[in-house]
Amino acid sequence: MTARRLRFTGPRTVEIESIPDPTPAPDEVRVRTTVSAISSGTERLVYRGEAPTDLPADPALESLDGDLSFPLSYGYAAVGEVDAVGDEVDPDWLGRRTFAFEPHASAFTAAPEQLQPVPEGITDAQAALFPTVETAVNFLMDGNPRIGERAGVFGQGMVGLATTALLAESSLSELVTVDACAARRERSERLGADRSLPPGTDAVDRLREGDPPGRDLTYELSGAPAALDDAIAATGYDGRVVVGSWYGTKPAELDLGGTFHRGRITVESSQVSTIEPALRGRWSLERRREVAWERLARLDLDPILTHRIPLAEAGDAYELLEERPDEAVGVLLTY
């Protein structure tokens, strides 16, 4: 038998190649993939060739070795079923549905400790959203939304919509989001935003409404460097800006000569591979992941999943995300 895997071979170029069917080592299992989710943020930077090639692919994930130069395999949201186990692995693993931070491929091997069993009641498609929800959970832990605060979220892609859904469950007094696509703004309001606005001066003015003026907490999740200026401008005195976007090689030119310093605005980076330093005494990646699975089971995130496309047509999937963002948000590759 042979397996198939996706390879990024150059900017905006993907290939599906046949590889020998993987055989598990004595301490590994083999997983047959059913679905994998395309990351509409980081992965699209890789697809475009806008990811810095001097960085490791992801030092926190064993499945992503090497750097981000072409050619490479990428992806980190694979769901499937264990169909073979090594001699040293408990045979009870056979038949289990599992999630793994693995690149897009029809089959892969992994040690059991690198897999997460999919809880009962969660479909394979929902499970593929696990990294998205875990990232959103991390944003809330970093931003620490407080009772009665007014929050704003720039960007309503996969992660932005999941963050909106979680913030809508919190004790905020108002949640306003910003996105260029009308369809995404409609999804944002379905997931709990009080209002979703197109970007521009009017949106910043609307976000600055209130007493005291400005947002208490603002997230920049759009992936567009220019949005960071607007996020800072929308934030009030002593407010916090959490930057969850990764811009890759795109520069972020900021206008910090106005009210930024006198406003004592805090700008903080957020990245899911680590826990916020102040929380590490009681929080671990495992505990945060338990919370992410619980939220994934509870929330209705169907508005995030817009397309299912066979692996053989993966090139069309990436073009869809690039050219028709008003239609495509969460894209699953099927096997």
Side-chain angles (χ1 to χ4, degrees), residues 54-333:
D54 58 344
L55 288 179
D58 194 324
L61 300 179
E62 295 184 23
S63 58
L64 296 177
D65 56 0
D67 57 30
L68 293 172
S69 57
F70 298 115
L72 77 157
S73 297
Y74 199 77
Y76 47 80
V79 182
E81 183 175 308
V82 175
D83 77 335
V85 300
D87 293 340
E88 299 174 6
V89 176
D90 187 335
D92 284 349
W93 275 94
L94 280 170
R96 287 189 185 180
R97 291 190 307 132
T98 64
F99 169 88
F101 295 100
E102 286 282 337
H104 304 293
S106 63
F108 58 89
T109 59
E113 57 268 23
Q114 295 171 340
L115 303 175
Q116 298 184 57
V118 177
E120 290 294 327
I122 294 179
T123 67
D124 289 5
Q126 290 170 324
L129 286 176
F130 172 76
T132 301
V133 174
E134 185 186 14
T135 299
V137 168
N138 191 65
F139 289 155
L140 264 72
M141 293 174 70
D142 286 356
N144 187 24
R146 302 178 180 116
I147 187 169
E149 286 192 321
R150 300 190 304 272
V153 182
F154 283 77
Q156 292 296 279
M158 289 178 70
V159 170
L161 287 169
T163 303
T164 293
L166 289 178
L167 286 169
E169 286 198 324
S170 69
S171 53
L172 296 170
S173 67
E174 185 184 54
L175 173 60
V176 177
T177 65
V178 179
D179 197 275
C181 295
R184 296 185 183 212
R185 296 197 297 271
E186 186 273 332
R187 289 185 173 91
S188 180
E189 292 176 353
R190 283 169 59 189
L191 288 171
D194 295 303
R195 189 174 178 188
S196 192
L197 307 168
T201 303
D202 289 346
V204 173
D205 289 344
R206 170 64 181 84
L207 288 163
R208 287 201 60 82
E209 291 177 0
D211 183 19
R215 297 289 105 175
D216 302 287
L217 171 62
T218 310
Y219 289 92
E220 202 302 276
L221 310 179
S222 71
L228 183 53
D229 248 347
D230 284 349
I232 293 172
T235 306
Y237 179 85
D238 197 29
R240 294 109 61 208
V241 177
V242 176
V243 184
S245 291
W246 186 41
Y247 304 127
T249 58
K250 295 178 292 186
E253 298 182 3
L254 301 179
D255 178 10
L256 302 181
T259 61
F260 173 74
H261 289 87
R262 292 182 180 180
R264 290 192 171 273
I265 295 170
T266 299
V267 179
E268 176 184 356
S269 64
S270 179
Q271 214 283 328
V272 71
S273 61
T274 57
I275 299 289
E276 204 275 321
L279 300 178
R280 290 176 189 171
R282 295 191 58 81
W283 284 88
S284 63
L285 291 177
E286 290 74 22
R287 184 180 180 188
R288 188 185 66 194
R289 286 171 179 169
E290 290 177 3
V291 172
W293 281 117
E294 186 272 330
R295 292 297 189 274
L296 183 57
R298 193 172 77 197
L299 294 170
D300 178 10
L301 297 179
D302 285 348
I304 294 178
L305 294 175
T306 57
H307 291 77
R308 290 166 172 78
I309 297 176
L311 177 67
E313 301 170 16
D316 295 338
Y318 291 97
E319 289 181 10
L320 178 68
L321 285 166
E322 289 291 303
E323 299 173 5
R324 290 149 60 189
D326 53 330
E327 298 178 25
V329 183
V331 176
L332 298 180
L333 297 177

